Amino acid sequence: MSKLVLGMVGFGVVGSSVLKAILANGEIINARAGKQIVLKSIVVRDKAKAAKKLADMNANVALSTNIDEILQDSEIDVVIELMGGVEFAYTIAQRALKAKKAFITANKAMLAYHRSDIAPLASGLPVGFEASVCGGIPIIRVLKDGLSANHILAIRGILNGTSNYILTQMQQFGKNFATALKEAQNLGYAEADPSLDINGGDAGHKLLILASLAYGIHAMPEDILIEGIADITPDDMEFANEFGYVIKLLGIAKKQDDEVELRVHPSMIKKKSMISKVDGVMNGISVIGDYVGESMYYGAGAGGEATASSVISDIVAIARGESAAMLGFSRPLEEGKLRLKDKEKIHSRYYIRLYVRDKPGVLGEVAQILGRHNISIGAFLQKETDKKNIATMLFSTHHCFEREINHALCELENIESITQKPFKMRLEDEYE
């Protein structure tokens, strides 16, 4: 049996899991690949620490602190980047492809900024990135291959397990955000610095990768609407429960005529929808194609073993000669007519939370301001707070444009009756 020889950069949780999978399931991996998969060398920062891990695994793999040893080794066919970061990881991709080696990465941040730069460098060399989005869910292959007969009308995904765990704890057990976040950190679901997870950045990186495959759109994170979950309160959860919603951090892509709408933000979605039932640290993605209709993909979105499973799937695809450097399309879809929708033109229903002085006439004043901006109220809930003479007003609206809701909230923030900055969240309807 011929060999496929690998060099790996990074030996953390995912890298260790990749080696463990090769050691534990090597026979079946080799049979499915049609080649013997050999991990020859690993580039690490700390050789002593890595050597101990290899000894514990009873594995015979060369260690190096010099990336050149992998890039200049003529026996190595594939470079696997599992170290994280953006610019240095991109440099590794560039150098690997220039050295005529296939490249595999799990690095969604690097791909969010450089995916459109990598494909031309590859010149037909395989590039695998299945592990970059949603860990063990094979969503990249679904969009590249499984749904290739379809125009993708919409994608809605729970793309970050940490934020989903926090929101599940808040919704189901009445915890506030700080308590749920601390619990997630104690359980190892959230980093000491959880910023990328809770501010929507991680989900934004993943959405951009999916949008490249679905639409050939090469937007940057700064180009799309990204909001996080840190400002969500038990009041918001109470309103959601009262009116039959759950709150999820969603990555959303929608094709409408010649525009593609890309956004990441917390959303209220109906409890009856399939994606609303994705709880805890799990991920779920709904994809709607014009021929297939809606299909749903569910599974572990992170963790060493789930991510390693996707890395191995790329290795097997390369061994079979099936993988190509398709981080978008060689020619833009729709003859290049698709463009990114302006954030201000997003059309949605909204939820608004206001803390107001509990006195006559405030509701009328609020309704008058909303009306001036073409916003009508759908549902309304008012409750007392633990602060004297302060009440909470919770609204849902009918459809309006993002620019209208933003202008209205700016006006509301400046009136004397409003005691805190207004908060908004979108209500995500089923795709029509």
Side-chain angles (χ1 to χ4, degrees):
M1 181 182 285
S2 61
K3 294 181 180 180
L4 185 75
V5 182
L6 315 174
M8 190 161 70
V9 183
F11 196 43
V13 173
V14 176
S16 299
S17 296
V18 168
L19 179 54
K20 286 177 184 176
I22 292 172
L23 294 173
N25 292 349
E27 186 175 340
I28 194 168
I29 292 169
N30 293 342
R32 287 172 173 161
K35 291 184 178 180
Q36 183 182 358
I37 306 301
V38 178
L39 179 57
K40 181 180 180 181
S41 182
I42 305 173
V43 175
V44 297
R45 291 189 178 93
D46 187 334
K47 284 182 73 171
K49 182 179 178 181
K52 183 178 186 307
K53 289 170 70 173
L54 288 177
D56 292 342
M57 297 164 68
N58 195 28
N60 182 23
V61 181
L63 293 173
S64 175
T65 57
N66 185 357
I67 186 69
D68 289 336
E69 291 189 19
I70 283 180
L71 296 172
Q72 295 173 7
D73 188 334
S74 60
E75 289 188 354
I76 290 177
D77 305 300
V78 183
V79 173
I80 304 170
E81 182 274 309
L82 300 174
M83 63 177 295
V86 176
E87 295 307 322
F88 185 58
Y90 176 50
T91 299
I92 294 171
Q94 290 176 299
R95 294 187 63 194
L97 293 169
K98 287 178 181 177
K100 303 302 180 185
K101 301 182 187 299
F103 180 70
I104 294 173
T105 183
N107 192 329
K108 63 263 186 184
M110 185 270 286
L111 291 175
Y113 285 98
H114 292 296
R115 62 197 182 282
S116 61
D117 303 319
I118 290 175
L121 289 173
S123 298
L125 284 166
V127 175
F129 54 105
E130 184 66 68
S132 65
V133 180
C134 294
I137 303 175
I139 190 63
I140 301 298
R141 200 152 278 114
V142 165
L143 291 174
K144 283 173 66 174
D145 302 323
L147 299 181
S148 54
N150 292 259
H151 289 278
I152 304 302
L153 303 179
I155 299 170
R156 296 192 305 162
I158 295 170
L159 306 176
N160 181 272
T162 300
S163 61
N164 200 44
Y165 176 84
I166 292 169
L167 292 173
T168 299
Q169 293 297 305
M170 294 177 70
Q171 189 104 35
Q172 295 184 0
F173 304 104
K175 298 175 183 177
N176 62 32
F177 173 80
T179 300
L181 171 58
K182 184 64 176 176
E183 184 175 305
Q185 290 172 319
N186 291 340
L187 292 170
Y189 298 149
E191 302 288 343
D193 179 3
S195 302
L196 264 181
D197 293 320
I198 65 174
N199 69 12
D202 176 78
H205 295 158
K206 295 170 182 175
L207 181 67
L208 288 168
I209 295 168
L210 297 181
S212 289
L213 293 168
Y215 307 111
I217 290 284
H218 296 301
M220 296 290 108
E222 294 78 12
D223 299 330
I224 69 172
L225 191 155
I226 298 178
E227 296 174 358
I229 65 171
D231 293 330
I232 295 173
T233 70
D235 287 334
D236 308 324
M237 293 295 178
E238 182 177 342
F239 181 93
N241 282 323
E242 179 75 18
F243 292 98
Y245 294 100
V246 296
I247 298 175
K248 299 291 185 184
L249 181 72
L250 291 184
I252 298 167
K254 292 181 181 179
K255 177 180 177 291
Q256 298 167 322
D257 299 323
D258 60 352
E259 292 186 315
V260 175
E261 185 175 307
L262 299 179
R263 45 195 170 100
V264 173
H265 51 69
S267 302
M268 288 193 184
I269 54 178
K270 284 292 187 181
K271 290 181 179 180
K272 66 181 181 181
S273 67
M274 288 192 294
I275 203 165
S276 74
K277 298 171 176 59
V278 178
D279 289 330
V281 294
M282 304 304 282
N283 284 183
I285 305 172
S286 163
V287 182
I288 299 175
D290 59 349
Y291 268 73
V292 75
E294 183 175 17
S295 52
M296 182 78 183
Y297 307 89
Y298 171 87
E305 292 183 355
T307 307
S309 176
S310 289
V311 171
I312 297 291
S313 77
D314 281 333
I315 295 169
V316 170
I318 289 171
R320 292 172 175 172
E322 296 174 358
S323 184
M326 185 172 146
L327 291 104
F329 292 86
S330 57
R331 184 178 68 179
L333 295 182
E334 313 293 346
E335 300 299 326
K337 294 179 182 177
L338 282 181
R339 63 180 186 273
L340 186 66
K341 177 178 275 192
D342 189 316
K343 301 173 191 177
E344 291 284 287
K345 295 180 181 178
I346 290 170
H347 196 241
S348 178
R349 294 192 299 135
Y350 290 85
Y351 159 83
I352 302 170
R353 183 207 329 130
L354 301 175
Y355 293 110
V356 306
R357 302 193 188 282
D358 194 3
K359 62 181 184 179
V362 175
L363 178 58
E365 187 178 15
V366 170
Q368 188 177 41
I369 290 173
L370 293 177
R372 282 205 297 269
H373 294 278
N374 303 309
I375 300 168
S376 58
I377 296 170
F380 172 67
L381 186 65
Q382 181 169 337
K383 52 178 292 190
E384 294 181 350
T385 69
D386 55 4
K387 296 181 180 179
K388 186 177 180 181
N389 297 324
I390 302 295
T392 307
M393 288 184 176
L394 310 173
F395 304 86
S396 68
T397 75
H398 295 295
H399 280 84
C400 62
F401 287 101
E402 183 82 8
R403 62 176 176 270
E404 294 171 337
I405 196 80
N406 287 340
H407 290 161
L409 294 187
C410 282
E411 188 171 344
L412 284 169
E413 186 176 359
N414 291 319
I415 66 173
E416 185 272 338
S417 302
I418 306 297
T419 63
Q420 290 186 28
K421 183 177 180 179
F423 173 78
K424 75 172 186 295
M425 188 188 312
R426 292 155 198 87
L427 278 69
E428 180 63 16
D429 296 318
E430 296 292 330
Y431 185 81
E432 299 175 359

